[in-house]
Amino acid sequence: MIITIHQPEHLPWLGFFNKLSKAELFVILDSVQFEKNYFQNRNKVMVSGKAQWLGIPVLNQGHMSGTIATTQIANQTNPKWKQKYIQSIRLNYSKHPYFNDVFPIIENALNVSEDNMCEINIAIIKGFSEKLGFNPKFIRSSELEIEGMKSDLILDICKVVGATTYIAGPSGRDYLDMKSFADEGIKVVFNDYKHPSYPQRKTEEFVPYLSALDLFMNCGFEEAARIILEGNEGTSEV
């Protein structure tokens, strides 16, 4: 069983889907603490030719003791956030060639939950993955009986789901206890990804590291899948 584990980021970037494409099982790491001002509730999209943040406002009070799965949307303080969110995408992408293919996925995901950020993120991830033809089985870490932190947490998840190979991101080299995985007979490989370029409207120079939404709007899902895999430099054990 080849697995990978990742937090349910909002509108993830290309590398997220590259790693997802190689796994038989994708564990949505929603049981860890929500991190303010990270990618869990926002990501960068193209706005007037420049990269700008687009996200979901969330309740920060108590986030230190909460998890990604329990993070609530700040509807009371930002009652019109959804209208502004949708308007921003329409204003900046409605003239793109694949807007009508991509936008309904976002619109439907925003209606999955009125209160829970994580549910929206997961709906977007699954919707995009299906359109790309990347179809691992999905499971949430909050549904598993696991414990530990950092390397121990990852190892425990791998053991619980019966992983034989774990696909880690490059940063895993800094904190994974490789010996503990080897002792359990679990192979660890690191997914190195070089960001590819693609035709990008209304920019003088290519802007990398945006949400994959930008790629989908410019190139469509079929071509996007090819481009996402094109950026792959493979997996390595070191």
Side-chain angles (χ1 to χ4, degrees), residues 92-129:
N92 291 285
Y93 287 108
S94 63
K95 301 298 183 182
H96 283 58
Y98 294 94
F99 176 83
N100 290 332
D101 295 332
V102 180
F103 182 71
I105 297 173
I106 299 293
E107 196 169 33
N108 290 337
L110 291 174
N111 292 322
V112 165
S113 176
E114 290 296 323
D115 304 305
N116 188 277
M117 173 207 71
C118 187
E119 294 300 326
I120 293 174
N121 287 359
I122 292 172
I124 291 172
I125 290 166
K126 287 184 175 180
F128 285 166
S129 298

Side-chain angles (χ1 to χ4, degrees), residues 18 45 99 131:
N18 178 272
V45 299
F99 176 83
K131 288 293 186 178

Side-chain angles (χ1 to χ4, degrees), residues 109-177:
L110 291 174
N111 292 322
V112 165
S113 176
E114 290 296 323
D115 304 305
N116 188 277
M117 173 207 71
C118 187
E119 294 300 326
I120 293 174
N121 287 359
I122 292 172
I124 291 172
I125 290 166
K126 287 184 175 180
F128 285 166
S129 298
E130 182 179 356
K131 288 293 186 178
L132 290 165
F134 303 158
N135 296 300
K137 179 182 177 181
F138 290 93
I139 189 171
R140 307 182 191 203
S141 64
S142 58
E143 299 172 348
L144 304 174
E145 293 185 6
I146 52 175
E147 56 185 16
M149 296 178 65
K150 295 188 176 181
S151 183
D152 291 338
L153 175 62
I154 300 300
L155 177 60
D156 202 25
I157 292 173
C158 286
K159 289 164 62 177
V160 167
V161 301
T164 55
T165 300
Y166 168 57
I167 304 173
S171 63
R173 293 185 175 95
D174 300 327
Y175 70 89
L176 290 178
D177 180 357

